[in-house]
Amino acid sequence: SLNIQIPTCSTEGSKRPAAREKACWSTHQREMHRSSIAGTSVSERKFAEKLTILNERGQGILTRVYNIKKACMDPSTRPSCLAEKQLEAAIKHINRRFPNVDTKDKAHLTAISSFQKDILTALPNYYYTFVGVMEFKDITSELVTSLATSQFHLDISLNYDLTKSLLDLCALFVSMMILVGQIEDRRAMIGLYSIAHETQRGSSDSNFPRLAQMIVDYEHPVRKMAEEFIPLSKLILQATMSLCKVFVRRNLPAEQLRTQNVLSVSANPQMMLSPTLSNELPCEFLSLETMHRWILLGFLLCSNQLSHPGASDLWKLALQDGYAVSLYRDEVLAIHSVYEKLLSDSKDKSDRKRVSDVNESLNVALLHAGPLHRDRRKHLTSALKELFLLVTDSPGLLGPKCITVLTALTLACDEVKWLFKHTAMNAPKGKHKPVPDDYVDPWLHELLFYIISLKSFMRKNHRIIQTYYLRFMGGFDAQLMRDVVMRIQVCPEDESLIMTSFVDTLARLQGKETDDRAEFDFQALRLDWFRLQVLTSVNKAALSLKDREHGDLAPAMNTVVVHSKMADSFEELLVETCDLSFLCFFYRQFEGEFNKCLKNTSQVRYIIAYPLCCSEFMNSTTPYCPEERINIGDRCVNTINHFLELIAKEVKTVVGVVCAERLQIDEQLIPSKAVGHYLHDHPNKGKQKSKAPPVLVEPGKESKRKTLTGTMAKDSNLHKLVDICYSVNCFQNITAWDHTFVPREYLVSHLEDLFIKNVFSMLHYSSELQEISRPSEVLMRIQSFMASLRLLELHIHIDMTRVLTAVLLQETQLLDSKGDSTITSTYTSWYTSVLLKRVSSGGVCFSKTRHCFVSRKALLMKAEEYTDIRELEALAEIIGPYGVRFLGEKLMEQISGQVKEIKKLVKANQDTLLALHTNRDKPDIFNEVLRKLRNTDDLLARTVIVGILMAFRKLTLQALHSVLCYRIPFMLSSIEDFKSNLLDRSSQVANNMASSAGIMCDVDPLLVNAMRAHCDKSKEDYDIWKLFLAFVGVTLPELALKTESNFIPNFEGHENNAHCLAIAVNALAGAIFGYYGPEHQRDMMKEFLVFTSSRIMTLAKETEKEKDAPKAREAIYVLLDLFVSESPFLTRDLLEGCFPYSLIRDAYNFLYKKQPTSRSKTRDTETPF
């Protein structure tokens, strides 16, 4: 139930509260009304207007009474003054002495004065709502008495509006008085307010005596109403008995509905385009639930008339339909116990004998009502599905068959309400117990779906219905009314004027074209027909509807009224006949059914019906109780949002399962899985099996099925995904309370979350073991997952490219939208902190021929599995240009750290290096100063690390370039053309753009940015970096003394990665001296080449027979050649001028013809490719 807080109103001053003036008539007005009745004609009494207004006002008062009851039942919304402990004694005294409460009794009522302000603030609306109930009761009694004294003839098939209004009024009155009797705090609220009012103003409220008497009289409301309405029972019986024919005809079991083709349009193809015509057209879609309520609540007012012929049969038929009757919204009455108590307390013996009929009807209802309604719901589901398929295929059928569709919708909504109200109430005790399965409908979701779908389709094509019935009214109806009026011989003046207006109104529609802007309003016509019913239903009227000679008038006008509603108030007609807003008040059951549907694979395709039903919640509001509009609106919006979120989460779950299954199948095809099959098919006969072989799964085995049981889980997941996507895709948006919901948009965020979560898990990263999947494997998993997500586009209109792009773009950044780590940050951390760290520690060699790092020792991780061309291209495709740039920036941070330490080493040896550079042509002095040089190994090691990092940087740029050549060839060619034709080749803008596209530059722009922190463009700084080159050139010959400097021809690299010195020196020189101008880059490298060549030439003078002879002299010669080949500033001509190229050629010849070391002597051997 909704927690409606009844707003309070001010009681200050002598002015009466506005709520009181709206809720009731004053005593003076009521007396004037009574005096005006005598001596007036039927037309002057305005019965039609009074019934219309009284029903509307009564609905508002009933809503307020309902909200008072709910508020008093909930401790959080109950008036605070009723829960005060200091007022408990006073409230008990008021309840015991009500209504004769002595306000001067200080022993019990003194505490009220201290809470007077709170009482007068919290209780006025409650009090004046009860006053409104009292006034409504008096006016209803007077109006029904006037109708009875005027001797009206009531028949639902003739004067439909008059009979319906009276039955609505009676049912409204009964419901209101029963609900008032169920409010336990009614005496306390009325008594507290009256005492507080009298204390403040000196006198009690003028309405209190009558109101208090009504509360006392209606302590047992059913018995009191039956006594008061005894004089009016014949009129109510007449109206109720007129329902007999319609109720029996409509209350058919499913088998009869099926055999009689009541709801089938295709059963008679010849009549498919013929309109539905009937002498009782308004009764065709009259709610069966409404008639059931009219009958049972009506007989509470005229139970003394059950002995009337046929009354008992109709009464028992209604009692056998179920054990619950709706009072209002979710307030349900156990009708059998009410009748049992009413009849057993009756003084009439015949009434007491009917108690057995009540018990017998209860047993029939417990035994047969559940199965009957279950079968009827099942039949209505298939009937609505057939109608929906027909009208969607041929929307033009909505014109002639709109009545049939409305009839089916009305019956379906009645069945839904019957099920909910009976499951909300515990079954009464009887001889039989109801079967629980009869009240659990697994096909309810489908029924709701087709109700909503048909209503939505009818709203969408309302223009077809309006055009059809406007032409029908201007043609057939106009001619029919003209003929009916012409046949009337005697007609009073008032009736003649009304019928003439009918004919004129219909005649004006002949030949009139309609367009989208045309508006029609036939309310005046319908009100005139209501007035005419009043005039022609009075006893001894000159023109009577029940006379045979005027028998065509009522069917004709009832048909015209129905057609007019189709033309100008179709939405109101839908609300009147097939509204589902009552589900708002059965929220727990409604939410439970939604959860059942979400778990039911066969019914999940209809899940969207539940948020669509919520969009109708606002239809339950009334302008006479505006304060509940916000509460119902909030529930409407929040429920739709909640349901759509759960649907999106379910789609996310099912998609995740389907993608995981697809990924598992695709992983069986990766190359590493083939090794197991190969070893299984080619066992090693020389070795015994030490353990059981692993279980191998043959790829494609899941597609081999003899029965469906083997793969039922995968099939059911796929079917569920298709069905739930169909449901979400059925309706583009849901509009409720000025909010618009787009179901498909709810999927976007959840699919993004699913993709982000699964993409990161595909790394299989272990921070403890420092293990991570190869980029090619991760790329395969991502592509498999994306292929599965792409399947959604076959079943739902959603831009999956946007989802995938958004997620993959986040993975190229440092953090995703939730602030978690991404693939880029994880791979960057792993490559820089784990892989490259192991390279610098030894055992891994950078191979120029293989374009990767190769492990030369038995390590847990093979570097070539993560750095070869295929893996780095996969990495570049995953992290993209943004990720490669981020990886480069992290590499530059490490290079910057090494450069900082190198600069410290140079400064520490600055004087020595300066002396070496000055005396490079004086061997004796040079050798003496050379002995003073310190930290040479540290310098070489750090420079090698810089070279390793720059080598990896080049590999990533090459991989990115090859990926972009395939992905964006035209854009890449434009970037290359722009860079190659730029006049200023050293422009950082062009270099940055080219580097981001993987295009090699003479100087890496990221390295240039990183070196800015170590260069201040001063003369001292310039000299330091100049000495750095000298430091490297001086220490190079020392590498020849180390066996780790051996050259590996297959790798084109040195065992200790000394060849990376060439990469490091050229990169650092280009970046550092670029600040001073391009000419300095060339000059410094030329000077470095000359100085280094002279130092390496000293190695040629030493013979191999000497004890300290260099062991890797040829490898250092090759290293000198690499300095030139890796440099964009040096050429072979410069090298030839400084160093004999014959020595380099002989060195290459010697190294490539040298026999490799035997595997038995060392484990530091070359691994097979």
Side-chain angles (χ1 to χ4, degrees):
S1 62
L2 290 172
N3 294 327
I4 304 298
Q5 182 65 42
I6 303 296
T8 58
C9 57
S10 174
T11 57
E12 296 180 0
S14 59
K15 188 175 181 180
R16 304 173 71 185
R20 178 183 178 186
E21 296 179 2
K22 293 182 179 179
C24 61
W25 288 355
S26 67
T27 306
H28 177 66
Q29 288 174 321
R30 189 172 64 255
E31 294 299 330
M32 291 182 62
H33 170 70
R34 289 175 178 172
S35 61
S36 63
I37 291 178
T40 57
S41 63
V42 174
S43 60
E44 292 175 347
R45 293 187 186 181
K46 307 288 184 181
F47 284 119
E49 291 83 350
K50 289 179 181 178
L51 284 170
T52 303
I53 295 172
L54 199 55
N55 273 309
E56 291 181 359
R57 283 294 183 92
Q59 194 74 18
I61 297 174
L62 180 60
T63 303
R64 300 185 71 86
V65 171
Y66 168 86
N67 289 332
I68 290 175
K69 181 186 176 186
K70 294 298 182 184
C72 292
M73 291 173 61
D74 190 350
S76 61
T77 57
R78 190 184 183 205
S80 58
C81 56
L82 297 179
E84 289 289 344
K85 292 185 177 181
Q86 300 179 22
L87 292 177
E88 287 183 1
I91 292 174
K92 290 181 180 178
H93 178 72
I94 291 173
N95 288 330
R96 185 172 60 253
R97 300 293 302 274
F98 190 86
N100 301 316
V101 181
D102 187 5
T103 57
K104 298 180 181 180
D105 188 355
K106 295 183 180 181
H108 296 91
L109 304 179
T110 305
I112 296 178
S113 59
S114 58
F115 291 94
Q116 178 179 333
K117 184 177 180 180
D118 294 338
I119 293 172
L120 293 177
T121 302
L123 297 183
N125 266 30
Y126 293 89
Y127 178 82
Y128 286 110
T129 298
F130 289 119
V131 173
V133 172
M134 178 188 67
E135 296 292 343
F136 178 80
K137 179 188 75 69
D138 295 341
I139 297 169
T140 299
S141 300
E142 293 173 5
L143 182 59
V144 176
T145 302
S146 299
L147 291 171
T149 55
S150 300
Q151 298 182 359
F152 275 90
H153 173 75
L154 300 178
D155 190 345
I156 196 72
S157 61
L158 294 178
N159 43 25
Y160 174 83
D161 296 312
L162 179 60
T163 306
K164 177 180 180 299
S165 297
L166 178 62
L167 291 173
D168 277 337
L169 186 62
C170 293
L172 191 64
F173 174 72
V174 173
S175 300
M176 187 183 301
M177 301 313 298
I178 292 177
L179 284 181
V180 169
Q182 292 177 353
I183 300 175
E184 296 181 358
D185 296 324
R186 60 188 184 279
R187 293 191 175 194
M189 288 188 289
I190 295 172
L192 281 175
Y193 180 81
S194 177
I195 294 171
H197 184 279
E198 184 175 355
T199 304
Q200 184 189 45
R201 302 188 181 183
S203 61
S204 62
D205 185 74
S206 58
N207 294 299
F208 176 73
R210 294 173 48 241
L211 177 59
Q213 189 60 44
M214 184 198 75
I215 296 298
V216 173
D217 292 343
Y218 279 83
E219 186 67 26
H220 302 286
V222 176
R223 184 196 309 165
K224 181 63 177 177
M225 287 186 292
E227 293 174 357
E228 282 192 349
F229 275 77
I230 289 177
L232 312 175
S233 58
K234 290 185 178 179
L235 178 69
I236 299 173
L237 175 68
Q238 186 184 28
T240 306
M241 287 303 298
S242 68
L243 298 171
C244 183
K245 181 181 177 182
V246 180
F247 184 73
V248 172
R249 177 165 57 85
R250 295 285 302 283
N251 192 23
L252 297 177
E255 188 60 31
Q256 292 188 29
L257 290 173
R258 190 178 295 109
T259 55
Q260 296 178 14
N261 297 318
V262 176
L263 304 176
S264 178
V265 176
S266 59
N268 190 359
Q270 294 81 5
M271 302 297 293
M272 188 173 291
L273 297 179
S274 301
T276 302
L277 298 176
S278 171
N279 290 335
E280 303 171 355
L281 195 59
C283 299
E284 294 300 324
F285 45 84
L286 180 60
S287 171
L288 192 62
E289 167 70 19
T290 301
M291 288 190 286
H292 181 259
R293 183 167 174 264
W294 284 347
I295 293 169
L296 292 180
L297 296 185
F299 275 116
L300 285 178
L301 300 178
C302 58
S303 58
N304 61 323
Q305 298 291 333
L306 286 173
S307 59
H308 188 276
S312 179
D313 295 334
L314 179 62
W315 174 66
K316 287 191 288 186
L317 182 62
L319 284 175
Q320 293 170 5
D321 192 61
Y323 53 79
V325 172
S326 296
L327 289 178
Y328 188 62
R329 292 178 176 173
D330 62 332
E331 289 296 324
V332 182
L333 185 67
I335 193 64
H336 294 85
S337 60
V338 173
Y339 269 110
E340 183 178 2
K341 185 176 181 180
L342 175 64
L343 295 176
S344 60
D345 293 342
S346 178
K347 299 178 181 179
D348 193 347
K349 293 183 179 179
S350 61
D351 288 344
R352 290 197 296 271
K353 291 181 181 179
R354 297 189 186 278
V355 175
S356 59
D357 294 339
V358 175
N359 295 327
E360 182 181 353
S361 299
L362 174 61
N363 293 325
V364 173
L366 293 174
L367 186 62
H368 297 293
L372 183 143
H373 284 273
R374 181 195 59 201
D375 294 339
R376 190 184 293 172
R377 287 193 300 273
K378 191 174 181 179
H379 168 68
L380 286 171
T381 302
S382 60
L384 286 179
K385 182 177 181 180
E386 178 186 349
L387 285 173
F388 178 71
L389 294 176
L390 280 173
V391 297
T392 50
D393 183 65
S394 302
L397 287 176
L398 285 176
K401 297 304 175 184
C402 188
I403 303 297
T404 304
V405 175
L406 285 177
T407 303
L409 288 174
T410 304
L411 287 173
C413 290
D414 289 342
E415 292 304 316
V416 173
K417 189 168 186 179
W418 187 95
L419 180 64
F420 274 85
K421 74 180 182 181
H422 279 78
T423 53
M425 176 182 174
N426 295 326
K429 295 182 179 180
K431 290 183 179 179
H432 306 284
K433 291 184 178 180
V435 180
D437 291 342
D438 293 336
Y439 298 88
V440 178
D441 193 348
W443 296 280
L444 175 67
H445 329 293
E446 186 176 359
L447 181 62
L448 288 174
F449 175 80
Y450 284 114
I451 291 174
I452 293 294
S453 298
L454 269 173
K455 291 166 68 173
S456 176
F457 188 77
M458 293 175 76
R459 290 189 182 100
K460 182 180 178 181
N461 295 275
H462 172 237
R463 187 62 60 183
I464 295 175
I465 300 173
Q466 183 186 51
T467 302
Y468 180 87
Y469 283 102
L470 283 173
R471 294 181 179 179
F472 202 104
M473 292 171 67
F476 179 83
D477 289 343
Q479 184 61 41
L480 177 64
M481 279 303 302
R482 190 179 296 109
D483 295 342
V484 169
V485 171
M486 292 298 294
R487 286 197 295 268
I488 298 176
Q489 298 179 357
V490 178
C491 184
E493 182 180 359
D494 292 342
E495 289 85 333
S496 176
L497 291 174
I498 293 176
M499 287 189 288
T500 302
S501 69
F502 292 163
V503 175
D504 293 342
T505 301
L506 296 176
R508 285 194 294 270
L509 296 175
Q510 294 180 355
K512 188 173 183 179
E513 296 294 333
T514 60
D515 54 28
D516 294 340
R517 292 175 296 178
E519 295 184 1
F520 298 90
D521 188 2
F522 298 105
Q523 291 186 13
L525 182 144
R526 292 192 286 271
L527 184 56
D528 283 344
W529 170 232
F530 195 174
R531 292 166 177 155
L532 185 60
Q533 291 177 41
V534 172
L535 294 175
T536 55
S537 299
V538 183
N539 188 29
K540 298 181 181 180
L543 177 63
S544 178
L545 293 178
K546 63 181 180 180
D547 293 343
R548 288 188 176 181
E549 57 270 20
H550 306 138
D552 296 338
L553 178 60
M557 273 311 301
N558 284 332
T559 301
V560 170
V561 167
V562 172
H563 292 173
S564 69
K565 290 182 179 179
M566 298 286 187
D568 71 333
S569 57
F570 185 72
E571 184 63 34
E572 289 79 0
L573 185 61
L574 284 179
V575 173
E576 179 185 349
T577 56
C578 49
D579 182 39
L580 293 173
S581 62
F582 64 88
L583 294 173
C584 174
F585 307 99
F586 295 93
Y587 185 74
R588 291 184 179 177
Q589 299 161 259
F590 185 61
E591 188 177 21
E593 293 295 334
F594 171 82
N595 293 327
K596 291 179 185 177
C597 182
L598 204 59
K599 297 176 182 178
N600 190 341
T601 306
S602 62
Q603 293 287 306
V604 75
R605 67 185 289 116
Y606 310 115
I607 191 69
I608 197 65
Y610 287 89
L612 287 166
C613 287
C614 297
S615 64
E616 299 188 5
F617 284 178
M618 295 305 295
N619 294 337
S620 62
T621 59
T622 171
Y624 297 98
C625 188
E627 59 269 18
E628 71 170 1
R629 184 174 180 83
I630 296 177
N631 298 73
I632 296 178
D634 288 342
R635 169 168 288 187
C636 171
V637 172
N638 294 336
T639 305
I640 294 175
N641 182 67
H642 175 60
F643 284 171
L644 291 178
E645 283 286 347
L646 291 179
I647 293 172
K649 287 181 181 178
E650 186 66 18
V651 175
K652 170 185 171 181
T653 303
V654 178
V655 169
V657 174
V658 172
C659 292
E661 293 172 352
R662 169 74 176 267
L663 180 59
Q664 185 180 6
I665 294 172
D666 289 343
E667 282 188 335
Q668 297 174 9
L669 302 177
I670 60 177
S672 60
K673 297 289 184 180
V675 177
H677 293 279
Y678 179 83
L679 296 177
H680 181 268
D681 297 337
H682 302 81
N684 192 346
K685 299 181 180 180
K687 296 183 179 180
Q688 296 181 355
K689 296 181 179 179
S690 59
K691 55 183 179 180
V695 179
L696 300 176
V697 179
E698 181 183 356
K701 188 177 181 180
E702 70 281 347
S703 300
K704 299 177 182 179
R705 59 174 85 179
K706 295 181 180 179
T707 62
L708 289 177
T709 56
T711 54
M712 185 59 69
K714 295 181 180 180
D715 292 343
S716 62
N717 289 330
L718 190 58
H719 292 163
K720 185 174 183 179
L721 177 61
V722 173
D723 288 344
I724 199 168
C725 287
Y726 164 80
S727 181
V728 173
N729 205 41
C730 278
F731 295 88
Q732 292 185 356
N733 54 63
I734 301 173
T735 303
W737 201 40
D738 298 331
H739 291 70
T740 300
F741 301 86
V742 182
R744 292 194 295 270
E745 290 301 318
Y746 279 78
L747 294 181
V748 174
S749 60
H750 285 280
L751 291 176
E752 286 183 2
D753 293 341
L754 173 69
F755 196 27
I756 290 174
K757 180 180 178 181
N758 284 274
V759 161
F760 188 77
S761 66
M762 292 173 188
L763 292 175
H764 296 171
Y765 177 63
S766 173
S767 59
E768 297 178 357
L769 301 177
Q770 296 295 326
E771 293 179 352
I772 197 169
S773 295
R774 297 163 63 178
S776 59
E777 295 178 355
V778 176
L779 179 61
M780 182 277 299
R781 294 173 187 142
I782 292 176
Q783 290 174 343
S784 174
F785 208 89
M786 290 172 60
S788 300
L789 289 177
R790 290 279 187 187
L791 293 176
L792 281 177
E793 293 183 326
L794 300 176
H795 312 296
I796 190 170
H797 300 316
I798 187 172
D799 187 4
M800 191 55 63
T801 302
R802 184 184 69 171
V803 177
L804 300 178
T805 304
V807 174
L808 293 178
L809 188 60
Q810 291 181 40
E811 293 301 317
T812 65
Q813 307 301 315
L814 177 61
L815 299 174
D816 60 17
S817 58
K818 294 184 176 181
D820 298 329
S821 299
T822 61
I823 292 180
T824 297
S825 60
T826 306
Y827 263 128
T828 298
S829 176
W830 187 84
Y831 272 105
T832 56
S833 303
V834 180
L835 179 65
L836 296 178
K837 188 176 181 180
R838 293 182 183 180
V839 173
S840 61
S841 63
V844 179
C845 178
F846 171 62
S847 173
K848 294 185 63 178
T849 55
R850 299 189 184 180
H851 294 279
C852 67
F853 291 89
V854 181
S855 297
R856 300 189 62 253
K857 291 184 179 180
L859 302 176
L860 296 176
M861 172 202 67
K862 292 185 177 181
E864 59 269 24
E865 292 182 352
Y866 292 90
T867 59
D868 67 358
I869 297 175
R870 179 171 175 267
E871 297 300 333
L872 291 181
E873 286 181 354
L875 177 65
E877 190 162 357
I878 294 172
I879 66 177
Y882 288 115
V884 172
R885 184 176 180 85
F886 177 73
L887 176 59
E889 290 173 351
K890 290 299 180 181
L891 293 174
M892 296 309 144
E893 289 180 6
Q894 293 193 1
I895 291 174
S896 179
Q898 297 297 331
V899 169
K900 183 178 180 181
E901 296 300 322
I902 289 173
K903 192 173 182 180
K904 291 180 180 179
L905 294 175
V906 175
K907 287 183 177 180
N909 293 276
Q910 185 173 3
D911 296 335
T912 305
L913 291 172
L914 185 59
L916 289 173
H917 189 270
T918 305
N919 299 293
R920 61 181 179 274
D921 296 331
K922 301 175 183 179
D924 297 335
I925 300 176
F926 185 88
N927 292 332
E928 184 179 353
V929 176
L930 183 60
R931 295 186 185 96
K932 300 179 181 180
L933 198 60
R934 298 290 182 267
N935 306 114
T936 56
D937 291 340
D938 193 8
L939 174 77
L940 290 175
R942 293 187 182 278
T943 310
V944 168
I945 292 174
V946 172
I948 291 171
L949 296 174
M950 288 304 301
F952 184 73
R953 165 69 174 163
K954 288 185 177 182
L955 291 179
T956 57
L957 290 178
Q958 291 172 1
L960 176 62
H961 186 266
S962 61
V963 170
L964 296 183
C965 284
Y966 170 72
R967 300 298 296 269
I968 51 171
F970 301 108
M971 184 179 293
L972 189 62
S973 63
S974 300
I975 296 173
E976 291 175 345
D977 183 67
F978 179 80
K979 182 179 180 299
S980 61
N981 291 285
L982 192 67
L983 296 178
D984 186 5
R985 295 293 183 88
S986 63
S987 173
Q988 281 296 106
V989 177
N991 288 339
N992 277 321
M993 179 176 62
S995 177
S996 298
I999 301 172
M1000 292 294 181
C1001 302
D1002 292 344
V1003 181
D1004 196 316
L1006 292 183
L1007 183 60
V1008 173
N1009 295 333
M1011 290 300 102
R1012 287 177 180 172
H1014 307 288
C1015 300
D1016 54 9
K1017 294 186 180 182
S1018 63
K1019 182 66 171 61
E1020 295 178 359
D1021 191 71
Y1022 183 85
D1023 292 338
I1024 288 174
W1025 290 115
K1026 183 178 178 181
L1027 293 176
F1028 160 70
L1029 296 179
F1031 203 164
V1032 175
V1034 167
T1035 55
L1036 276 182
E1038 295 183 8
L1039 292 175
L1041 302 176
K1042 300 178 180 179
T1043 56
E1044 294 86 359
S1045 300
N1046 289 330
F1047 185 81
I1048 305 174
N1050 286 346
F1051 293 165
E1052 278 195 16
H1054 299 75
E1055 291 182 13
N1056 60 357
N1057 289 309
H1059 56 291
C1060 293
L1061 285 170
I1063 301 174
V1065 170
N1066 281 290
L1068 291 177
I1072 293 171
F1073 293 106
Y1075 288 112
Y1076 304 99
E1079 65 279 0
H1080 290 276
Q1081 294 172 322
R1082 184 176 298 275
D1083 294 343
M1084 287 298 102
M1085 285 305 298
K1086 183 178 179 180
E1087 184 177 344
F1088 168 76
L1089 181 62
V1090 172
F1091 183 72
T1092 304
S1093 301
S1094 64
R1095 284 291 299 146
I1096 294 178
M1097 280 293 291
T1098 60
L1099 296 176
K1101 299 177 181 180
E1102 300 178 7
T1103 62
E1104 296 180 358
K1105 296 181 180 180
E1106 295 179 4
K1107 183 178 180 180
D1108 296 332
K1111 302 176 182 179
R1113 178 170 50 193
E1114 288 78 10
I1116 303 305
Y1117 292 165
V1118 172
L1119 178 59
L1120 181 62
D1121 182 61
L1122 292 178
F1123 276 107
V1124 177
S1125 62
E1126 291 289 342
S1127 175
F1129 312 108
L1130 301 176
T1131 62
R1132 299 288 181 183
D1133 295 336
L1134 292 174
L1135 178 61
E1136 185 70 26
C1138 303
F1139 192 85
Y1141 195 75
S1142 59
L1143 291 178
I1144 297 176
R1145 185 172 58 249
D1146 292 341
Y1148 275 116
N1149 187 40
F1150 173 78
L1151 293 173
Y1152 276 90
K1153 287 186 177 181
K1154 185 179 179 181
Q1155 293 296 327
T1157 307
S1158 175
R1159 291 180 184 270
S1160 61
K1161 295 182 180 180
T1162 178
R1163 298 180 60 187
D1164 248 1
T1165 57
E1166 172 190 348
T1167 55
F1169 185 74

